[in-house]
Amino acid sequence: MIDENLLLNHGAKRVTFSKGDQLFREGESALNFYQIASGEIKMNNYNEDGKEFIQGIFSIGQSFGEPPLLANVKYPANAEAISDSEVFQLTKEQFLELLSSNPRVHLKITETLAKRLYYKAIMVSEISSQEPEHRILRIIDYLKHVDKVEGQFAYRLDLTRQQLADLTGLRVETVIRATKSLEKKGELQIKKRKVYR
Amino acid sequence: MIDENLLLNHGAKRVTFSKGDQLFREGESALNFYQIASGEIKMNNYNEDGKEFIQGIFSIGQSFGEPPLLANVKYPANAEAISDSEVFQLTKEQFLELLSSNPRVHLKITETLAKRLYYKAIMVSEISSQEPEHRILRIIDYLKHVDKVEGQFAYRLDLTRQQLADLTGLRVETVIRATKSLEKKGELQIKKRKVYR
DNA sequence: GAGATCATATGATTAGGATCATAAAAGCGG
DNA sequence: CCGCTTTTATGATCCTAATCATATGATCTC
């Protein structure tokens, strides 16, 4: 997370998006840096038969879409507002200028990328080879970890079964059955349809 | 890739590994930065029933294992020498010192992470939802792209079917059948058992 | 060149998640 | 509160990759 004033000093614009709006699409060139001021943004892909895969969900203070900006490649996914959102937007030039004049911030960004890479490394190995229950537990544990929640069943998962399915590459029905089975095994709790871990 | 002299000036050691040696293991703390002087290193996971998943294969000039170093987390995978290899090794402190005194190099590393993130984003979405043939084509295309090969069937894939399986999370038999089917469809060629794309 | 090891190949069977169908509960807008 | 949409739930069936078994073709070593 980059300090708001620093962003504004480097020419950041505040841009608002309504729920459902797309900020950019898969295959487009990366032109801007984004950091969320309010709301939630997801990055996702749709495969040929319309099935969604969610790469990640980002909320206040988090930035997203930097990799293509830094690596000079096209966006590998779409960005879509999950709720009405406001974001700080910098052009690529402004962003690179900010990085070069603030080594501290640059290192912070590098760390952020490193963390995301760590997460993706885990997800890709989990998704590739494990059973549904495994995948689901792992992603929940990751989200719990990100939200810095400690203690058994202290973390309330704020995702629908469908979103959980889209994050793990499974089907809703499979997620529903798997979460129930996990509850039976004591791995998680379901109260008022919400999953606790 | 960081200049060899720069690495040595910052106290890099040359360390040799024999084929099959492990440089580090999943779950260990990240202590060093590594860049390959010669040979090939793979990063992999083994799931509970021993099935391997290859996160990536790195060769001369490439670095690996930086994310945990920068993100202060444990290694998400093992590193193992595919062939006899020599690597430059820097301690974490030396590496961070190098970055802070060489913004150019720092930006280069950031770009490298960004590229890898891009690749993982593609792989995770592909693996999550696509059929075997899709997965295989995508990873071959990626490798071809990395090696900067252009032209139909100009790229010779230097992986065994088993390695291809471990990279995509499939089984050998499935990979064998899928590559044959892809050959029949004209998507790739198989000559002397080697895959060309 | 014989034997051993590794990689590719192929058929038969199984298993588990996807798919399809339908329903009921919860949340929401007017 | 009522109708409408979204989300969760559950059973039945299908399909395809995993699994198991076995064979053959390369490559390597002594």
Side-chain angles (χ1 to χ4, degrees), chain A residues 70-84:
Chain A
L70 292 162
N72 276 308
V73 291
K74 310 285 182 182
Y75 281 117
N78 315 291
E80 184 183 320
I82 296 182
S83 55
D84 293 351

Side-chain angles (χ1 to χ4, degrees), chain B residues 49 51 131-132 169-171 173-174 177 192-193:
Chain B
D49 33 75
K51 188 183 171 225
E131 323 84 76
L170 298 166
R171 297 287 157 165
E173 299 94 325
T174 305
R177 289 187 247 256
K192 303 233 303 166
R193 302 177 146 203

Side-chain angles (χ1 to χ4, degrees), chain A residues 131-132 169-171 173-174 177 192-193:
Chain A
E131 322 83 77
L170 298 166
R171 297 288 155 164
E173 299 94 325
T174 305
R177 289 186 246 254
K192 304 232 304 163
R193 301 178 147 203

